[in-house]
Amino acid sequence: SSTSSIGVNYGRMSDNLPSPAQAAQLLIQHGITKVKLYDADPSVISAFASTGIQIAVSMYNEVIWQLASSQEQADSWLASAILPHLAANASIEMILLGNEVLTRADPALAPQLVPAMRNLHKTLVTRGLDSRIKLTTSHAMDVLDFSRSFPPSAGIFRPGMEETMKPLLDFLAETSSPFLIDAYPYFAYRDDKGEHIDLEFALLDPNSSGTTDWITGLHYPTMLDAQVDTIYAAMGRLGYGNGEVRVIVGETGWPSAGDERNFGAGMENARKFVQNLVRRQQQGLGTPLHPEVSIESYIFALFNEDLKQGSTAERNFGLFYPNMTQVYSVEFSLNMFK
């Protein structure tokens, strides 16, 4: 496996953010070479053109219906949403069809996901872009049946999900595309309130005592390792247990501030989590089950977003304030851990 820069999610649920062009320069300044967008806003994609930053473009869930309905709709979407940016030298490497479709969206949408992917893939093949741009979707951790998914080797998808998940994994394996999971050790630690989960384990501290899978004997030094291998185990139960489909952490992070509902939130914990994540990324570390496959990760998020709903923590996952100063000191340089 090879090392690569950490990625970042560029959310824009805020009324005080810098321009996309300024955001692109901020990534360049800090050596962050991958960005994941939550839509296909042309003004945002254009801001990253000719920067060398690798872009993952997302589409709204509603667009999946259109792409699944006909090949012509897939052709039209790619022609309008993607091709102009490729012509402008934007490095689009991945398209995400929807966000957490299998657990958050209308249940009627799930059967449309793979047909939409196959139609769009045909369009990419026709354009000679299928090896350059991969198609996938993002998943919340609740695609797993939590009641039966511990230790990691016991991982299994939720009942009733096989009819959608198996065709999806078939497509991802056929097209060498990744499986994106939104994995947040913070939320598990918050809900546990430190009763059973060690803080160092959740913060990805390589010196934590960790935990051992009593079925396989594999030792897990960090919670992120355990979360990713639980997904690998669940995929194995559907016939993909040998790393045929690579898992990428599409979202992870730790809030730098919170309220009484946000046990464990805080500046120092956020700094430790992100720095440990960057360190393991630069070292090219895999998981105990698949040490040969480095875990590529996208931090959530680039900025604190003041319009996000929910607890205080939801508005404080950013690496940067809207004025583009760092919330806490983290080194993203490729050379830091060489």
Side-chain angles (χ1 to χ4, degrees):
S1 62
S2 61
T3 60
S4 62
S5 172
I6 201 82
V8 67
N9 287 273
Y10 180 17
R12 295 181 294 128
M13 294 183 65
S14 179
D15 57 9
N16 58 358
L17 295 184
S19 70
Q22 290 173 305
Q25 290 305 309
L26 185 65
L27 266 62
I28 293 171
Q29 175 187 344
H30 288 274
I32 300 172
T33 63
K34 291 177 178 286
V35 66
K36 183 156 72 71
L37 310 177
Y38 287 97
D39 55 29
D41 186 323
S43 67
V44 178
I45 301 174
S46 295
F48 291 94
S50 300
T51 63
I53 294 171
Q54 294 177 298
I55 308 164
V57 175
S58 302
M59 64 175 65
Y60 293 122
N61 291 348
E62 295 74 19
V63 180
I64 294 171
W65 291 101
Q66 301 173 27
L67 271 61
S69 68
S70 72
Q71 189 63 55
E72 291 73 19
Q73 288 285 345
D75 295 344
S76 176
W77 185 86
L78 190 81
S80 61
I82 301 298
L83 296 185
H85 302 294
L86 297 181
N89 204 27
S91 299
I92 298 173
E93 65 167 359
M94 189 160 51
I95 297 173
L96 278 67
L97 282 75
N99 182 49
E100 300 183 353
V101 173
L102 299 189
T103 52
R104 297 283 192 271
D106 178 353
L109 183 60
Q112 307 302 315
L113 181 59
V114 174
M117 286 183 167
R118 291 200 175 278
N119 281 345
L120 190 55
H121 184 255
K122 289 178 185 176
T123 302
L124 291 174
V125 170
T126 299
R127 299 278 187 170
L129 296 170
D130 53 302
S131 63
R132 176 177 174 182
I133 300 176
K134 299 302 178 182
L135 304 179
T136 188
T137 189
S138 67
H139 306 277
M141 285 296 292
D142 61 1
V143 293
L144 295 169
D145 181 349
F146 291 130
S147 68
R148 297 189 292 162
S149 290
F150 188 81
S153 61
I156 188 170
F157 291 118
R158 283 165 50 174
M161 194 163 283
E162 180 175 347
E163 61 186 32
T164 300
M165 192 64 79
K166 180 61 166 64
L168 174 61
L169 292 173
D170 290 344
F171 173 83
L172 298 179
E174 290 168 17
T175 60
S176 300
S177 298
F179 186 102
L180 262 67
I181 188 72
D182 298 341
Y184 286 88
Y186 164 71
F187 290 125
Y189 181 75
R190 178 201 66 185
D191 295 344
D192 178 74
K193 292 184 169 54
E195 292 184 11
H196 308 96
I197 299 174
D198 290 337
L199 179 59
E200 291 75 15
F201 181 63
L203 292 177
L204 317 185
D205 186 332
N207 297 315
S208 78
S209 58
T211 187
T212 299
D213 185 317
W214 62 80
I215 297 174
T216 64
L218 293 173
H219 181 72
Y220 285 86
T222 78
M223 186 184 294
L224 191 66
D225 286 298
Q227 288 177 322
V228 171
D229 273 358
T230 304
I231 294 293
Y232 275 126
M235 292 196 298
R237 286 176 165 73
L238 296 182
Y240 291 97
N242 295 316
E244 300 94 336
V245 179
R246 181 187 182 195
V247 175
I248 287 179
V249 177
E251 286 185 16
T252 193
W254 198 287
S256 60
D259 53 39
E260 65 279 359
R261 295 171 288 178
N262 307 132
F263 182 86
M267 195 79 73
E268 184 60 13
N269 284 348
R271 186 195 67 77
K272 287 180 179 178
F273 179 86
V274 171
Q275 194 68 85
N276 286 333
L277 182 70
V278 173
R279 179 181 291 108
R280 65 165 298 127
Q281 177 86 23
Q282 303 308 341
Q283 293 173 339
L285 299 180
T287 65
L289 189 59
H290 287 291
E292 78 284 1
V293 183
S294 62
I295 303 178
E296 181 178 328
S297 303
Y298 290 81
I299 300 169
F300 185 85
L302 181 56
F303 295 111
N304 282 342
E305 300 172 71
D306 65 344
L307 297 183
K308 289 186 71 71
Q309 301 296 308
S311 68
T312 301
E314 292 295 328
R315 295 178 288 281
N316 287 277
F317 273 89
L319 298 172
F320 298 90
Y321 294 111
N323 66 5
M324 297 195 293
T325 60
Q326 284 186 279
V327 175
Y328 42 81
S329 178
V330 172
E331 176 59 64
F332 300 99
S333 169
L334 282 169
N335 297 317
M336 180 179 179
F337 306 109
K338 293 294 179 66

